[in-house]
DNA sequence: TGTACATCAGTGAACGCGCGTTCACTGATGTAC
DNA sequence: TGTACATCAGTGAACGCGCGTTCACTGATGTAC
């Protein structure tokens, strides 16, 4: 059947948004195209009208995730007073909500190791998107120059992602909650000198 | 054929050691039992004389990797003067050799996100092994009590793992080398006050 | 000491499954005349 | 205005593949008698 003019673009966006969730939840190998499409009430065959490969989708979904989480983190920082923005970012990152909901959370905490195993060409696209994201959030950190703030944001972001990954692996709820508080204190100290 | 008395145990250890490498290199889904066994000049069918499942092997291989890297890190710290042990650990972790060779490197930097997606029962075993590893290396960090050192080691170890994962994803060699230096400075400052 | 049998690490074919991708087809709507 | 044709997002069967796991079998050596 023929569809209205913008229909294709809308479907494409729906796929990217759903993929951004599936990849973070299941990992890139755990998430299957057919399940993803069924989730959208579509069949898997149609997928290739929108993307050349699963890997192309991964790149777009990763970027989409960065934008989503970037918006949320920026909003949290904007709500805070000027001298408390770094703390607001860190507290948001190690919030119970973010820890318990990897599906809608930071893609670095969910997919960094996957990214590191990709082919060089793919990593170029992924790291490029990440660089924008990091620069964006670096604006909320202390530092004399943008370059210094970006460098700090890269260390802070990747470090927090690693720590959040580990905390998510902790089986005991209470231990996990306490680790979140430890993490907030550790990274706040690390970033504010 | 009947084999000498210790033969089975030796084969088992060979499998665990090889798996520790394969899992870190390929990820736990990328590493296949049949390839692993072929690497050891064995056939895949024999695998189940040694392990109940691939997941059981993963737990043992992860623990094995922690012990290996723990030995190397401890050796690096032991070589340093008492007041430079934390720096020695961090420099070793962000060495070019460790960055370029994930296969023999820190399993947290290679597999943490995979661990976080496992069933609770599996995570209990994995985190238990990790706890010992962290406490062991925490002894080289500054801190008044063992509890404080362990807490610091957990933040430092997971943070460095996340940052190393990201650095490994950077496509450009020069940028990657510079990021390693940035990381050394960032974490040294974070852990020594 | 010699013989018959038991053991069991390792073999390799087979099973069942899910995956990424391809492809001939569908059919409602847009377009050309 | 009406009609014939083109378009193309979506369908669903099919392909080829690799995986984890199972299982009947092998055969050199240990053990029982």
């Amino acid at each position: 059947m023929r569809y209205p003019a913008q229909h294709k673009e809308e479907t494409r966006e729906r796929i990217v948004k759903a993929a951004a969730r599936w990849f973070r939840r299941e990992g890139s190998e755990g998430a299957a195209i057919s399940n993803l499409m069924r989730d959208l009430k579509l069949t898997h065959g149609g997928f290739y009208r929108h993307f050349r490969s699963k890997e192309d989708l991964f790149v777009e979904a990763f970027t989409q995730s960065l934008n989503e989480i970037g918006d949320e983190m920026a909003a949290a920082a904007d709500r805070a007073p000027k001298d408390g923005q770094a703390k607001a970012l860190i507290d948001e990152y190690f919030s119970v909500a973010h820890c318990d909901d990897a599906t809608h959370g930071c893609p670095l905490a969910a997919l960094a190791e996957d990214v590191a195993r990709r082919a060089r060409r793919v990593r170029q696209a992924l790291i490029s998107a990440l660089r924008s994201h990091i620069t964006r959030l670096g604006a909320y950190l202390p530092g004399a120059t943008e370059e210094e703030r970006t460098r700090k944001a890269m260390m802070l972001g990747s470090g927090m992602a690693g720590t959040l990954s580990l905390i998510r692996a902790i089986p005991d709820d209470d231990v996990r909650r306490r680790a979140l508080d430890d993490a907030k204190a550790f990274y706040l100290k690390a970033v504010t000198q």
Side-chain angles (χ1 to χ4, degrees), chain A:
Chain A
M1 348 160 196
R2 196 77 182 271
Y3 292 88
Q6 304 172 333
H7 178 89
K8 186 178 185 181
E9 183 55 31
E10 285 170 18
T11 302
R12 199 190 140 92
E13 281 172 24
R14 285 206 302 145
I15 295 173
V16 173
K17 282 212 160 135
R21 283 183 268 110
W22 278 77
F23 282 135
R24 280 176 283 183
R25 174 151 32 99
E26 316 271 1
S28 80
E29 298 195 80
I33 300 293
S34 53
N35 294 334
L36 169 69
M37 294 296 277
R38 196 179 313 119
D39 205 27
L40 297 171
K41 315 279 185 217
L42 292 168
T43 54
H44 59 278
F47 175 78
Y48 294 90
R49 297 279 162 197
H50 298 281
F51 301 93
R52 290 231 317 271
S53 67
K54 190 186 181 184
E55 188 151 74
D56 279 14
L57 174 64
F58 182 81
V59 173
E60 292 215 32
F62 186 83
T63 306
Q64 167 73 28
S65 306
L66 284 175
N67 291 338
E68 285 174 17
I69 197 79
D71 289 348
E72 282 176 43
M73 297 293 285
D78 287 333
R79 264 181 258 119
K82 259 276 185 290
D83 64 347
Q85 293 185 320
K87 182 175 191 312
L89 281 184
I90 292 164
D91 287 352
E92 176 75 12
Y93 200 90
F94 289 113
S95 68
V96 172
H98 188 207
C99 180
D100 288 354
D101 186 20
T103 304
H104 300 93
C106 173
L108 210 56
L111 298 166
E113 291 146 19
D114 191 299
V115 169
R117 272 187 275 262
R118 301 264 167 186
R120 191 187 155 82
R121 175 173 299 272
V122 183
R123 283 184 283 131
Q124 279 171 341
L126 294 165
I127 291 292
S128 161
L130 192 61
R131 203 183 302 279
S132 310
H133 171 77
I134 283 174
T135 302
R136 174 187 185 187
L137 293 186
Y140 294 106
L141 300 183
T145 65
E146 183 182 70
E147 198 240 325
E148 190 194 332
R149 288 189 296 269
T150 298
R151 209 168 46 214
K152 211 176 245 182
M154 183 178 156
M155 294 303 139
L156 182 67
S158 60
M160 291 199 304
T163 297
L164 187 59
S165 271
L166 171 62
I167 292 176
R168 281 175 176 157
I170 296 173
D172 185 275
D173 277 6
D174 289 340
V175 178
R176 204 161 55 231
R177 297 294 152 95
R178 260 180 282 132
L180 285 173
D181 289 337
D182 292 345
K184 285 179 199 166
F186 179 84
Y187 285 102
L188 183 62
K189 216 182 80 184
V191 89
T192 54
Q193 158 69 311

